[in-house]
Amino acid sequence: MERLVAKEVDVRKWKDDGFSPKSELLFIEYLKISKVCKVSDNGDNGYEVTEGADRHIVNLREKKCTCRTWDLTGIPCPHAIKAMEHKKMIPMKDIHWYYSKEASLAVYKHKLQLACW
């Protein structure tokens, strides 16, 4: 019970509309990698993004990239970030809600209520 309370206190220290510190660090790393990528249009919401010798297809409508990082983690990969910046979008808005402060607080609130039974 004390551990849950301590975790909730830690979560409350996150930025108001922020995400978990680990997810924000990962996003920042992806942002740095995206700076060396090159992007070209491939249709309405499709983009071809090259990172060195690698080439990936990003579909912003479906929130998918052929590298599958975005699909698996819920955090936009460097290729998706580059495509979003090309389209004048804000990539941080596409981090999955699961990593938000609101989601984490909801989890701890629910667990605390169960622990009281």
Side-chain angles (χ1 to χ4, degrees):
M1 188 70 163
E2 290 174 10
R3 183 173 182 267
L4 291 175
V5 171
K7 286 287 203 178
E8 183 179 6
V9 168
D10 286 343
V11 170
R12 290 193 183 280
K13 293 177 185 175
W14 297 357
K15 291 184 266 179
D16 284 338
D17 292 330
F19 296 95
S20 74
K22 287 182 181 181
S23 64
E24 285 186 358
L25 284 174
L26 186 58
F27 179 82
I28 290 167
E29 286 301 312
Y30 289 166
L31 193 59
K32 290 176 187 174
I33 295 168
S34 75
K35 301 301 179 200
V36 299
C37 295
K38 306 248 186 284
V39 66
S40 60
D41 287 335
N42 188 6
D44 288 341
N45 286 299
Y47 295 89
E48 185 174 300
V49 180
T50 56
E51 177 190 353
D54 296 331
R55 184 174 51 190
H56 298 280
I57 305 299
V58 176
N59 185 317
L60 295 178
R61 183 176 299 152
E62 295 179 13
K63 298 185 178 190
K64 293 186 180 278
C65 178
T66 54
C67 77
R68 301 210 47 231
T69 300
W70 196 8
D71 302 358
L72 296 172
T73 66
I75 300 171
C77 63
H79 320 108
I81 291 171
K82 188 68 171 186
M84 284 185 236
E85 288 177 341
H86 180 76
K87 195 171 178 178
K88 309 278 190 266
M89 295 171 66
I90 301 169
M92 190 160 239
K93 287 187 175 182
D94 279 294
I95 295 176
H96 197 280
W97 177 80
Y98 172 81
Y99 296 104
S100 71
K101 180 177 183 177
E102 179 185 358
S104 294
L105 288 175
V107 167
Y108 287 115
K109 179 181 178 184
H110 182 68
K111 286 189 176 192
L112 289 175
Q113 287 175 349
L114 288 177
C116 293
W117 282 82

